[in-house]
Amino acid sequence: METQIIELEKKYWQGMENHDYETVKKLTSFPCIIVGKNGVQSINEAKFKKMFESGNGDIRRVLNFSDVEVQLVAENAAVIAYLIELGIVDNQQKSPMKCACTSTWIIKNNNWVCVLHTEAELSRQ
């Protein structure tokens, strides 16, 4: 189970990296909750698609995925926490950022889907 959740999370990031909305949509339960630098948001599918498409200017590359912890909290629910390093390339050539992330996955209609994702950018040291 642990390996399956890790692979789902990586597939989600690969979908983001490849700007593959259909893959990301299939792995998301709507409405979903997203927590990050813009606060807490409950996002329906239409808003999610708009946010996804508006992020097309920044190309995110997963540079490193580490310190992964997965916990099955019920037969149909799991949480994952990890550190990720993202390379963000835009007109300003931003330096990579490191984040601590969590996701909550549930089984819905016989498929694992993400219902909650958080990202907290780590302070640079």
Side-chain angles (χ1 to χ4, degrees):
M1 185 68 59
E2 181 177 320
T3 303
Q4 183 180 12
I5 298 300
I6 293 168
E7 290 307 312
L8 286 166
E9 194 74 22
K10 287 181 176 181
K11 185 175 181 179
Y12 200 101
W13 278 106
Q14 186 176 26
M16 296 294 283
E17 193 173 302
N18 295 333
H19 208 68
D20 178 359
Y21 179 72
E22 288 304 312
T23 295
V24 174
K25 181 178 85 169
K26 273 194 253 179
L27 294 171
T28 305
S29 177
F30 297 102
C32 63
I33 298 172
I34 299 174
V35 180
K37 64 182 178 181
N38 295 321
V40 177
Q41 302 176 65
S42 179
I43 310 288
N44 64 24
E45 186 176 344
K47 187 174 181 181
F48 185 87
K49 185 172 185 179
K50 186 176 178 181
M51 289 171 61
F52 185 90
E53 290 173 349
S54 72
N56 197 19
D58 289 348
I59 300 169
R60 293 179 165 210
R61 300 266 183 250
V62 176
L63 304 175
N64 193 21
F65 196 89
S66 64
D67 298 349
V68 180
E69 296 288 338
V70 177
Q71 187 173 53
L72 188 64
V73 293
E75 189 175 296
N76 63 345
V79 293
I80 182 172
Y82 55 92
L83 298 179
I84 194 165
E85 185 175 3
L86 299 170
I88 300 177
V89 180
D90 65 7
N91 294 338
Q92 300 166 2
Q93 292 291 321
K94 296 177 186 172
S95 60
M97 73 176 192
K98 290 184 180 182
C99 295
C101 297
T102 64
S103 293
T104 301
W105 291 83
I106 64 165
I107 295 177
K108 187 175 181 180
N109 300 323
N110 295 318
N111 293 307
W112 284 100
V113 288
C114 184
V115 295
L116 166 73
H117 180 75
T118 70
E119 289 181 23
E121 190 171 353
L122 300 176
S123 58
R124 300 180 192 270
Q125 295 180 6

